[in-house]
Amino acid sequence: MTVYRTLDSPLGELLLVGEESATAKGGTALSSLTVPGQKNGAVVKDDWVEDADAFAEITAQLRSYFDGRLTHFDIEYAGSGSEFQQRVWKALEAIPYGSTLTYGDVAARIGASKAAVRAAGTAIGANPLLVVRPCHRVISANGALTGYAGGLERKRQLLDLEGLRQTA
């Protein structure tokens, strides 16, 4: 069963979507985290069930992150992507709090050629789990902020929260 809730945050109202899971802390595996106005973000469907309690553990972790007390999420994810997307997304999850990588760095970490940097960028852009799968920590080779589905201002907010002042 697909469940959802909304959550106020410094980024605006987040939409959390998940699936019941016997193995996830709190019983819900997160399948989407969407910010307002997000490119290709999730939209509530008629057959989804609103259940704030199902997201208690995830909500607690998000609040701790936004309060500056949490630097690594321990959340089970549901959903799918291509094998290539999954490799890229795993690389995103390995970027430490307060650090950035370039798109080229991400491609290299998954063993892709330099020609695959654009494909890695596309996979990063398809990440359905903004904030918790930290695609905001990926920047261009010249250090500029580029390509965040939630908007560059939110990317800047998240990097600022993590102590990485960005001027571009």
Side-chain angles (χ1 to χ4, degrees), residues 79-90:
S80 61
S82 71
E83 186 272 333
F84 183 78
Q85 286 174 323
Q86 289 178 29
R87 287 177 32 223
V88 170
W89 296 343
K90 196 68 139 168

Side-chain angles (χ1 to χ4, degrees), residues 18-29:
E19 301 293 331
E20 291 179 332
S21 169
T23 57
K25 285 184 179 180
T28 301

Side-chain angles (χ1 to χ4, degrees), residues 1-2 17-21 23-24 28-33 48 75-83 85-87 89 93 126-129 133:
M1 172 173 58
T2 301
V17 181
E19 301 293 331
E20 291 179 332
S21 169
T23 57
T28 301
L30 190 64
S31 58
S32 176
L33 191 159
W48 293 0
I75 296 172
E76 182 178 311
Y77 303 132
S80 61
S82 71
E83 186 272 333
Q85 286 174 323
Q86 289 178 29
R87 287 177 32 223
W89 296 343
E93 293 167 19
N127 173 20
L129 298 166
R133 184 183 285 144

Side-chain angles (χ1 to χ4, degrees), residues 2-6 13-18 30-45 48 126-130 149:
T2 301
V3 292
Y4 76 95
R5 79 156 293 171
T6 57
E13 186 178 75
L14 305 178
L15 173 62
L16 286 73
V17 181
L30 190 64
S31 58
S32 176
L33 191 159
T34 302
V35 300
Q38 177 181 326
K39 180 181 169 185
N40 299 318
V43 178
V44 176
K45 296 183 180 173
W48 293 0
N127 173 20
L129 298 166
L130 299 191

Side-chain angles (χ1 to χ4, degrees), residues 49-65:
V49 175
E50 186 170 11
D51 185 354
D53 292 341
F55 294 93
E57 174 64 28
I58 295 166
T59 297
Q61 288 188 46
L62 283 164
R63 288 190 173 133
S64 292
Y65 171 79

